[in-house]
Amino acid sequence: MPSFAPDRDIPSLAGKVILVTGGTAGLGLGSITELSKHSPAHIFFTGRNRKSADSLIAKLGNSAPDVKITFIPCDISSLNSVGEAAAAFTAQAERLDILMSNAGIMAVDPNLSVDHYEIQFATNYLGHTLLVRRLLPLLERTAEQYGDARIINLTSTAYGQAPSNGVDFATLKTNQASLGGMIPVPGGKWSRYGQSKVAQMLYSQELAKRHPALTSVSVHPGVIQTALFDHVDFFTKLPTMFFKKTPLEQGHWQQCWAATCPKDGLKNGEYYEPVGVVGHRTTRASKDTQLAARLWEWTEKELDAFERK
C-alpha cells in the first residue's frame, strides 16, 4: 500500500485554482485546510452555511495568508443553485486545476429534491454532474494550457448497497421509499445512498472515456465518523461498526492524494481506496460498462431538459 503523508507528499500547488464542493465541514473542510498549506493561488469552496464559511476563511487568513479563499453559496441538490454557483465561479476564475466533488448526504429518509429527484441521488450525483458540465470548457482549457486538470468524485464502498440493477432509473423521480436493500433495517436508506455512490463511480469512468484530456477518478475516503453520521440511528449505523476505520484527522487524505499525486500515478477513470490503492469493484453494477453508458445518456438527457427551461 502506498504511504502518504500530506506535509511531505503534496507538492507545491503554486498557481493552481481549486474548487471544493461542500467545503464548510468534514472532509471538504479538511481538504481545503490541507491544500492551503501548499500555496495554491486560489481555493473556492461551496456550501450552505455562511457562518461556517466565514469562520473557515478567517482561520485560513491566519494560517495561509497568501492563499485567496472564496466562498460560493450553493445547495448542490438544486440544479438552479448549482447553475448559479458555476456562473459565479467562471466569472472569477481563469483556470480550474482541481475540482473536488465532495458535498454529499448519507442514509437519509425518503425525500425529493426541489427538482423532483430522489434526494441522495440529486445531492451526491446529479448536482455534481451539472457543475462538471458547466465547468468542462474551463477544465479542458486548463488541461491544454497547463497539462493537467482533475475531477475527484467522492464515492464509497457503500456502492455495494445499491439495488441489484445499480441505478433504478424508473423511480429516480420519486422518493424511492420502497427501494429495497440489504441490512440494516430499513435498508432503503443505504440502498438509495449506494445507488448514488455507484453512479459517481461510473460517471468518473465515463468522463475519462469521453473527455480523456482530463483526469477523472472516484475515491472512497474510508469509514470516517463525520457529521454525515449525526442524524443516523443505531440500526442504520450498525454495518459501519464492523469496518476498519480511518482516523478522522486522516479522512481527507485520500482525496488530497488523488488531487495532487503525480499525474502518471493515476489511471484515468479508476476507483481508488485509501490511500492510493486501486479498489476492487465487488458488484456487477460497479463493473457494468453498459450501465455506465446508460447512466451518461440518462444524465445528459435530464440536464438537457433542465438547460431548456
Side-chain angles (χ1 to χ4, degrees):
M1 177 182 297
S3 63
F4 179 68
D7 289 343
R8 178 195 67 202
D9 295 330
I10 295 179
S12 170
L13 301 176
K16 292 186 181 292
V17 175
I18 300 165
L19 172 58
V20 179
T21 68
T24 58
L27 304 185
L29 186 152
S31 295
I32 292 166
T33 303
E34 199 73 66
L35 296 173
S36 72
K37 299 175 185 177
H38 301 272
S39 306
H42 202 152
I43 299 177
F44 293 82
F45 67 103
T46 74
R48 293 179 295 173
N49 189 325
R50 186 172 287 278
K51 183 177 179 180
S52 295
D54 290 343
S55 176
L56 176 58
I57 290 171
K59 176 183 174 183
L60 295 180
N62 293 321
S63 64
D66 296 327
V67 179
K68 191 171 183 181
I69 310 290
T70 299
F71 173 61
I72 298 177
C74 181
D75 175 356
I76 199 71
S77 74
S78 163
L79 295 178
N80 275 325
S81 183
V82 172
E84 291 168 0
F89 177 79
T90 54
Q92 301 177 70
E94 296 182 353
R95 62 189 279 187
L96 177 54
D97 301 85
I98 299 165
L99 171 57
M100 191 176 287
S101 298
N102 171 86
I105 56 176
M106 183 185 72
V108 299
D109 290 333
N111 205 349
L112 284 173
S113 74
V114 67
D115 301 296
H116 304 287
Y117 297 96
E118 191 281 318
I119 189 64
Q120 294 191 78
F121 199 80
T123 304
N124 298 341
Y125 174 73
L126 192 59
H128 284 114
T129 66
L130 177 61
L131 184 63
V132 169
R133 177 167 161 148
R134 292 286 181 90
L135 299 181
L136 271 173
L138 184 56
L139 284 158
E140 292 187 319
R141 287 199 302 271
T142 302
E144 181 179 5
Q145 186 170 355
Y146 300 103
D148 191 10
R150 303 187 192 184
I151 301 169
I152 314 301
N153 278 308
L154 262 70
T155 184
S156 167
T157 52
Y159 74 81
Q161 296 287 344
S164 59
N165 59 354
V167 177
D168 196 56
F169 293 101
T171 61
L172 281 174
K173 292 185 178 180
T174 74
N175 65 14
Q176 294 188 321
S178 61
L179 195 68
M182 298 171 63
I183 58 171
V185 178
K189 292 181 179 182
W190 284 107
S191 193
R192 294 187 295 273
Y193 180 64
Q195 173 182 248
S196 71
K197 291 299 164 178
V198 79
Q200 287 181 292
M201 181 188 295
L202 297 177
Y203 178 68
S204 295
Q205 184 177 308
E206 284 296 298
L207 265 176
K209 181 187 301 183
R210 297 168 189 268
H211 297 275
L214 307 177
T215 299
S216 307
V217 297
S218 59
V219 300
H220 167 53
V223 179
I224 307 126
Q225 196 74 19
T226 68
L228 289 180
F229 282 94
D230 287 352
H231 70 283
V232 173
D233 60 59
F234 173 80
F235 290 104
T236 303
K237 191 183 301 184
L238 184 61
T240 68
M241 296 179 180
F242 300 99
F243 296 151
K244 181 181 178 181
K245 303 297 192 297
T246 298
L248 180 60
E249 64 274 13
Q250 296 179 15
H252 59 276
W253 283 18
Q254 170 78 334
Q255 59 214 69
C256 287
W257 167 82
T260 64
C261 72
K263 184 180 177 181
D264 61 8
L266 291 172
K267 181 180 178 182
N268 208 358
E270 190 56 271
Y271 158 63
Y272 290 93
E273 295 179 355
V275 171
V277 178
V278 173
H280 296 290
R281 301 185 187 221
T282 59
T283 65
R284 182 174 63 182
S286 66
K287 297 179 278 192
D288 190 337
T289 57
Q290 291 184 329
L291 175 61
R294 183 183 179 193
L295 175 67
W296 181 276
E297 291 162 3
W298 179 92
T299 304
E300 289 294 291
K301 181 180 178 181
E302 296 300 312
L303 296 183
D304 284 345
F306 168 73
E307 303 278 20
R308 288 194 295 268
K309 289 180 181 178

